[in-house]
Amino acid sequence: MQVMAQMAMVMNLDKCIGCHTCSVTCKQVWTNRSGAEHIWFNNVETRPGQGYPRTYEDQERWKGGWTLNRRGRLKLKAGGRLKNLSTIFAAPYLPGIKDYYEPWTYDYENLTTAPAQKHMPVARPKSLLTGENTTITWSSNWDDDLAGSVENTHNDPVLAKVSEKIRFEYEQTFMFYLPRICEHCLNPACVAACPTGAIYKRAEDGIVLVDQDRCRGWRQCVTGCPYKKMYFNHKTGKVEKCTFCYPRIEVGQPTICSETCVGRLRYLGLMLYDADRVLEAAATPDERGLYEAQRDVFLDPNDPEVIREAHAAGIPEDWIEAARRSPIRALISDYKVALPLHPEYRTMPMVWYIPPLSPVVDAVSETGEDGERHENLFAAIDRLRIPIEYLAGLFTAGDTRPVDGVLRKLAAMRSYMRDINMGWEPNEAIPESVGMTGQQMTDMYRLLAIAKYNERYVIPPAHYEDAHKLENIATECSLDVDGGPGMGGSGDTGGMGGIGGIGGMDGSFAENPARGGGSPVPSRPEGVRINLLNWNGRGTPEGLFPDAADASTKPTDPAHPGTGG
Amino acid sequence: MNSDLDLFLWLIFPYICLTIFVLGHVWRYRYDKFGWTSRSSQMYERDILRWANPMFHFGILAVFLGHVMGLGVPQTWTAAVGISEGMYHFLAISIGVVAGIGTIVGFVGLVYRRRFTKAVMGATSRMDKLMYLVLGLVIVLGLVNTGSQLVGDYNYRGGVSVWFRSIFYLSPKPDLMVAAPLSFQIHAILAIGLFALWPFTRLVHVFTAPLGYVFRPYILYRTRDAHEGSRSRRRGWDKVDTIPRRR
Ligand code: SF4
Ligand code: SF4
């Protein structure tokens, strides 16, 4: 047994309102840069839908993830090592920018500089790749809320698998949102596909990261990741991916997407697993056995043998304790309501989902029946095959039984808790009908419905044996390594071969409007440089003394009124 | 007697360029690892790239091996293992012409897409353009030289090759180049110039060709500690330690 710890996430899809707050805050923090326009570490897809990038789930086309070879051993779907190296010059299954979307901006300047004319001036969309006028035809969530579903939804690879006969008719519509980040897989195909070895899984917490200094832009990981959560930055020529906000996780804070989630549907916590059994589980012959197989890889942090082995593996006590309190463990292993996304890709993903009951509830309510009654819901679960098969296509390689089971638990909880909340006699037959006790059901309800911040996010801070490392946290940013994104100073994208902005478009925001503004600065902001070379010897040099508010009342040299920028 | 120019071109210039080549790479690797990439433009355009890029790269790999043979292996060695001069030339010219034409066709395809795909053109730096120009000239002249072997009687293995090796023996023989035909001279000068440009272009990706992939395990783990800056901290920027580092 080789005990390892993994930081994992569970999302409760019933609560996702599709507001995209998570995507936006994530982008603001991580990928709000030129070259990274199409990079959404977090994106929210409307399902049924094509996803982002378009049809990424069609592995016959994109060849992501693993398959089994004739001897039943794992091999990358895109091909073995030699094939990988020989296709390095033109990756055959790489999505093009059009499979994401062509990044654009608007010609805002025209709004203020256009001459007087009869019609309102407009800000035309301009391509950020060519600088030319462009027509926007797609984006990261173009088919949001089933927009254009008649044209688009039949391209959904999951729907295509459910039944060839289904025509997507408006009356049959069901829909839900699927927020996605990198899965931080236990058996990551991206790591395996990287020819350079620049991608790695952190031994402490299982977060999968790209070493930006070692990435050479061979792009094979983009093909390798079946979830297409490896993104090629077209300016830097390097690949970037979701970092699980590791600088925040290290100090015990939730990821940005979790922190800002409006529906509060994300849970974070540790899972202990047996690294020795990962490959065996990922090579389970039957695709539909993969969900169970992955669950069997997880270890029980209350088991004395596991604790002993965890200590032997150097996992600190507070981490084991955190694994015991982990909401992820409760949802995956105890209540068994969380399911992995596309286990059939065999990467052993570690962001799991509680499938949404709402399509079922909606269907019942629409018929005028009581959508809170477990009998009605159970009957609907049995009847509503299309949504259920669709969910099974997402979460259990098409096996509807686990999805049925989860939805029944959720339906039972709904019904059971309604009785309690209404002050009626709780009906113990309801939890029993799904193999749970009333106590378990109330606990699950607590976790799903009203869990507070520190119950949803159980994140042990990084464990530092050495005092000097503690100093590191206190004094510097984890990103602030040489060449890292947080590296002080200007971000140089390409070193010697650096390329300029296109047609001055993406450079236009580079000027800091705050700089040289007329208003007096109340005190010296952190990091302002004192430049004595610009100082003419009269008055006080900018930034040397902190209280500018005071300075503005002092008599200054009239010949040198401004700060000189 | 060599003129000053000859001395410069065939003795001083090669050493300058080789020095730039070596030190430039050391510098680039130390200070610009982040910029060390092939900077692929496949995302912008793939239809031409799909055939042109492999054609160019496999062609140029064959050309490289040909140069290792032609420049690196003395005539006496091949003779010693029983490869006659005629045989050698037949092989060198036939393989060389095929590889050369493949390289050029691929190169033209790549330059075409670079010039005429707006997005790719937009991602092309000035350094790229200079590099493409020099590289293109070197390749064309190289093919001319290979072809000239069919008609001419210049034995480069007794001339250019000996001069090339003499540079590395540190007893350079510039006269050999003075005596070489003009197309060989220009090819050599431009190629040497290209080596000086090399560390400052995207060509650096050649030196991180990921051959180790064949042997490494699929899944890699790193501890956070080892990751803390993949490059050691620069001198003078060490942190204040409270406990002596064990490493
Ligand atoms: S989901 Fe993340 S860890 Fe898994 S293969 Fe893709 S990029 Fe790698
Ligand atoms: S912020 Fe939360 S509720 Fe909003 S889209 Fe993201 S996951 Fe859904």
Side-chain angles (χ1 to χ4, degrees), chain A residues 37-270:
Chain A
E37 299 91 350
H38 66 297
I39 305 185
W40 294 89
F41 289 169
N42 183 108
N43 74 300
V44 183
E45 302 168 356
T46 302
R47 306 313 297 256
Q50 303 189 44
Y52 180 76
R54 263 180 268 191
T55 70
Y56 71 94
E57 285 152 308
D58 182 357
Q59 302 310 342
E60 293 318 306
R61 177 167 176 210
W62 301 113
K63 307 279 182 199
W66 303 86
T67 60
L68 298 181
N69 65 12
R70 252 172 281 118
R71 284 171 295 137
R73 298 190 43 193
L74 285 170
K75 86 171 220 277
L76 286 174
K77 198 169 171 85
R81 294 169 194 260
L82 292 178
K83 169 117 190 268
N84 179 311
L85 287 188
S86 66
T87 55
I88 221 167
F89 303 126
Y93 313 115
L94 188 79
I97 193 76
K98 293 270 157 65
D99 293 305
Y100 300 89
Y101 59 91
E102 188 167 348
W104 76 88
T105 184
Y106 294 93
D107 183 11
Y108 296 110
E109 208 187 0
N110 189 41
L111 298 181
T112 51
T113 58
Q117 56 193 32
K118 197 163 139 223
H119 301 290
M120 281 281 281
V122 289
R124 296 191 61 171
K126 300 262 184 187
S127 164
L128 281 172
L129 299 185
T130 63
E132 298 188 333
N133 287 336
T134 185
T135 314
I136 304 163
T137 54
W138 200 256
S139 79
S140 59
N141 56 339
W142 199 250
D143 52 356
D144 214 24
D145 289 347
L146 298 181
S149 59
V150 184
E151 282 163 56
N152 296 324
T153 312
H154 61 271
N155 289 329
D156 177 343
V158 180
L159 198 63
K161 270 192 193 159
V162 170
S163 162
E164 313 228 297
K165 289 172 297 241
I166 298 176
R167 284 222 349 270
F168 200 78
E169 286 166 14
Y170 195 67
E171 309 85 71
Q172 290 191 344
T173 305
F174 66 97
M175 108 183 174
F176 59 94
Y177 302 103
L178 182 72
R180 295 201 305 123
I181 63 170
C182 161
E183 297 279 346
H184 297 274
C185 310
L186 298 184
N187 183 31
C190 58
V191 178
C194 172
T196 334
I199 314 173
Y200 59 95
K201 203 167 167 57
R202 289 216 298 195
E204 291 88 352
D205 50 17
I207 295 177
V208 176
L209 295 171
V210 185
D211 183 337
Q212 290 287 309
D213 270 355
R214 287 196 66 194
C215 173
R216 306 283 171 240
W218 302 123
R219 326 179 285 303
Q220 304 294 47
C221 58
V222 181
T223 303
C225 173
Y227 303 92
K228 291 291 170 277
K229 279 293 171 187
M230 280 286 173
Y231 294 94
F232 187 76
N233 179 319
H234 59 94
K235 279 273 161 67
T236 64
K238 307 242 165 176
V239 167
E240 300 183 21
K241 72 178 289 299
C242 159
T243 63
F244 218 84
C245 292
Y246 70 87
R248 290 174 58 91
I249 295 286
E250 279 173 17
V251 293
Q253 294 175 354
T255 64
I256 289 289
C257 55
S258 309
E259 174 83 77
T260 58
C261 176
V262 171
R264 301 188 181 183
L265 56 93
R266 297 187 186 222
Y267 297 80
L268 290 169
L270 279 183

Side-chain angles (χ1 to χ4, degrees), chain B residues 13 17 134 138 185-198:
Chain B
F13 186 62
C17 289
V134 179
V138 170
Q185 288 182 336
I186 306 179
H187 178 71
I189 281 295
L190 286 175
I192 287 172
L194 184 63
F195 280 106
L197 286 180
W198 199 294

